[in-house]
Amino acid sequence: MTNVPSMTAAAARLHFFDEGEGTNRAFRLPGWRGAALDRNMYDIHRMPRVLWDAIAHASATERWFVCGYAPVGQPEPVAELIGNSWEVFGEDEKNPARKSPEWIAYSPLLPVAILAGFDVTLVGASAELADEVDCILNGKGTSLRDLTLRDFGPEESWAFLNTVLG
């Protein structure tokens, strides 16, 4: 794992997520997998707490970079380091997720990234970290796959889900 600097939302999005038209993968980094969630079902965290806590625990970092978007015509700010505990993330006044309807969070060590888009939240992680998250979630009776299918239905319904689930 490598330490990475603070990025703008556009740079982080380009670094972690493959959003090209007709793409056959969700993530730019090889071997990544994760979950897709209906972001409108959740609060500022854009995912259920059980997943948030599993990611925070498995990623072994206390703070994430969080990038929000600037108003049209304004330069994009670089990311802020925000505590990744459920409470701190939701309450930190400088958290870009409090002001921007779309945001990206990522670990400074690069094993995980979260894209809270306008219609979907994508969670991606290295295969090793995704396995660790799944192990934690299995202890709670769920998994990355289960959470995705609960929000979006069978993976055959959404070809894109196959690229997220790995």
Side-chain angles (χ1 to χ4, degrees):
M1 292 187 279
T2 309
N3 282 321
V4 293
S6 174
M7 295 184 255
T8 64
R13 197 170 188 149
L14 186 61
H15 182 85
F16 293 105
F17 302 97
D18 190 345
E19 299 177 278
E21 191 172 322
T23 186
N24 62 353
R25 61 186 185 163
F27 309 109
R28 288 194 180 271
L29 301 173
W32 273 40
R33 68 179 183 86
L37 306 162
D38 180 350
R39 68 155 273 161
N40 295 318
M41 294 175 58
Y42 308 103
D43 59 7
I44 189 172
H45 301 84
R46 304 295 189 242
M47 68 183 70
R49 183 166 186 166
V50 67
L51 177 56
W52 184 275
D53 289 345
I55 295 167
H57 180 75
S59 68
T61 183
E62 294 180 6
R63 299 186 307 167
W64 292 334
F65 282 119
V66 181
C67 332
Y69 290 87
V72 175
Q74 299 292 318
E76 261 192 5
V78 293
E80 295 278 350
L81 268 173
I82 305 294
N84 70 0
S85 79
W86 183 265
E87 293 79 13
V88 170
F89 186 87
E91 295 170 3
D92 191 325
E93 292 296 325
K94 70 179 194 267
N95 184 350
R98 293 175 59 94
K99 300 175 190 86
S100 180
E102 262 193 314
W103 52 267
I104 297 172
Y106 60 94
S107 166
L109 299 176
L110 280 183
V112 63
I114 301 162
L115 169 60
F118 280 114
D119 54 357
V120 66
T121 297
L122 291 179
V123 175
S126 65
E128 299 83 19
L129 184 64
D131 289 346
E132 203 171 322
V133 169
D134 264 338
C135 184
I136 294 167
L137 290 173
N138 285 334
K140 305 286 184 183
T142 192
S143 68
L144 293 166
R145 180 175 299 277
D146 291 344
L147 292 170
T148 299
L149 299 181
R150 183 189 70 197
D151 281 12
F152 286 102
E155 45 201 287
E156 300 80 33
S157 305
W158 303 85
F160 178 72
L161 294 183
N162 290 322
T163 73
V164 175
L165 296 171

